[in-house]
Amino acid sequence: IRDSLKAFEILGDGESRRQYDLQSRLRMRREGDEDRGPIDESKLFFFRKGDPECLALRIVYFLTHARGSEAVELLGSLERRGGEELLRRHLDLNDYLDCVFLLGEHFLEEKRYLDALRRFLLLFKHQDAARFKRPYFELTVDALKSLFLRYLPRSLEAREWLALMDESEEGLPWTARERARLLIYSANAHLELDDVQRAREVARDALRIDPTSRSVRRWYHESGLAY
């Protein structure tokens, strides 16, 4: 009964279900190896060769076996040799997209927020127009929103934030409240750069988008600027 209740809780909540599906998929991939006993990596063909295709498969192996740091180190070496598109050229599409997602998660855990952003944006742009989306597409959107609304505003300088907003956040499914928060971060960045007029204009845009926003009104109060 306890197991049934736990399953109901997971499957009845959309976010929990998405995470469960992803974890189950990766766990099945790992357990498929474990069923065959301990892996002697020296016997895996892609560990015995150094051509780009084998190196790409090794990256997939590292990422799906929770060895993100090794995957990133090897990826850096691979991209220095053949450019950023090399990984895509040597993996089938599904493995490539899985890699992009897992790299994004790894960078997020390592607090390498710009690296995480680049991977998640790449995945989002590819999948947003796809008819059949990967199981972790909504997790990708959630990760991007967390980056923009939580992590990046705290870790970037004002000019870096404004440059990022000019090129990266379009197309994401923002709510009015989320969009207003983004604009307030930008207004604050303009204020830090002593561009009071532009800060006021951006804050007014935020207020038009979400007239009831407490964060917008709090920003006005704390900045000392009039509505």
Side-chain angles (χ1 to χ4, degrees):
I1 294 176
R2 188 175 302 167
D3 291 341
S4 298
L5 289 174
K6 183 178 180 181
F8 181 81
E9 289 176 0
I10 291 172
L11 298 176
D13 176 73
E15 176 64 19
S16 295
R17 186 171 63 253
R18 286 192 296 275
Q19 293 189 24
Y20 178 81
D21 288 344
L22 176 61
Q23 291 166 2
S24 295
R25 183 168 177 270
L26 297 177
R27 186 171 60 250
M28 287 172 63
R29 183 178 251 181
R30 286 195 292 269
E31 288 175 354
D33 294 331
E34 291 170 1
D35 288 343
R36 294 188 290 271
I39 297 172
D40 183 352
E41 293 176 353
S42 67
K43 293 183 179 179
L44 297 173
F45 78 92
F46 49 83
F47 271 84
R48 298 199 303 268
K49 300 179 181 180
D51 59 276
E53 183 175 2
C54 286
L55 294 176
L57 290 172
R58 206 178 302 173
I59 290 168
V60 175
Y61 176 86
F62 285 146
L63 287 170
T64 55
H65 286 74
R67 292 163 63 177
S69 296
E70 291 170 87
V72 169
E73 182 179 356
L74 182 56
L75 179 63
S77 171
L78 194 63
E79 291 182 340
R80 284 192 293 275
R81 272 197 246 175
E84 292 189 358
E85 291 300 315
L86 197 147
L87 188 64
R88 174 65 189 96
R89 291 198 300 270
H90 294 284
L91 292 176
D92 69 40
L93 181 60
N94 288 337
D95 277 343
Y96 172 70
L97 294 176
D98 290 352
C99 277
V100 172
F101 178 78
L102 292 171
L103 285 167
E105 282 208 322
H106 173 78
F107 287 133
L108 193 56
E109 290 174 3
E110 295 289 308
K111 299 182 180 180
R112 293 173 56 176
Y113 298 130
L114 288 176
D115 288 324
L117 177 70
R118 187 161 66 90
R119 302 296 174 176
F120 285 128
L121 279 176
L122 191 157
L123 184 58
F124 173 79
K125 290 174 182 177
H126 182 280
Q127 287 284 284
D128 189 40
R131 183 178 179 185
F132 300 106
K133 294 176 171 53
R134 304 297 290 165
Y136 42 72
F137 177 71
E138 291 186 48
L139 292 175
T140 299
V141 173
D142 292 342
L144 284 168
K145 287 189 174 186
S146 292
L147 283 163
F148 278 110
L149 296 172
R150 294 176 57 194
Y151 302 118
L152 290 170
R154 301 172 186 171
S155 60
L156 297 180
E157 299 293 333
R159 292 187 190 281
E160 291 177 308
W161 170 260
L162 293 173
L164 184 67
M165 289 295 289
D166 284 341
E167 64 185 33
S168 298
E169 53 81 27
E170 289 297 328
L172 289 171
W174 301 110
T175 65
R177 181 146 297 180
E178 289 167 344
R179 173 68 70 179
R181 280 179 62 189
L182 288 173
L183 289 173
I184 285 301
Y185 291 140
S186 293
N188 199 57
H190 285 296
L191 204 58
E192 288 183 25
L193 296 171
D194 296 322
D195 190 347
V196 176
Q197 180 60 32
R198 183 61 183 144
R200 184 181 284 112
E201 291 170 358
V202 173
R204 287 173 180 167
D205 287 340
L207 199 57
R208 280 194 292 272
I209 290 172
D210 186 9
T212 64
S213 172
R214 295 180 181 178
S215 61
V216 176
R217 296 179 185 279
R218 183 167 58 249
W219 181 87
Y220 270 109
H221 175 73
E222 293 175 355
S223 68
L225 300 177
Y227 283 100

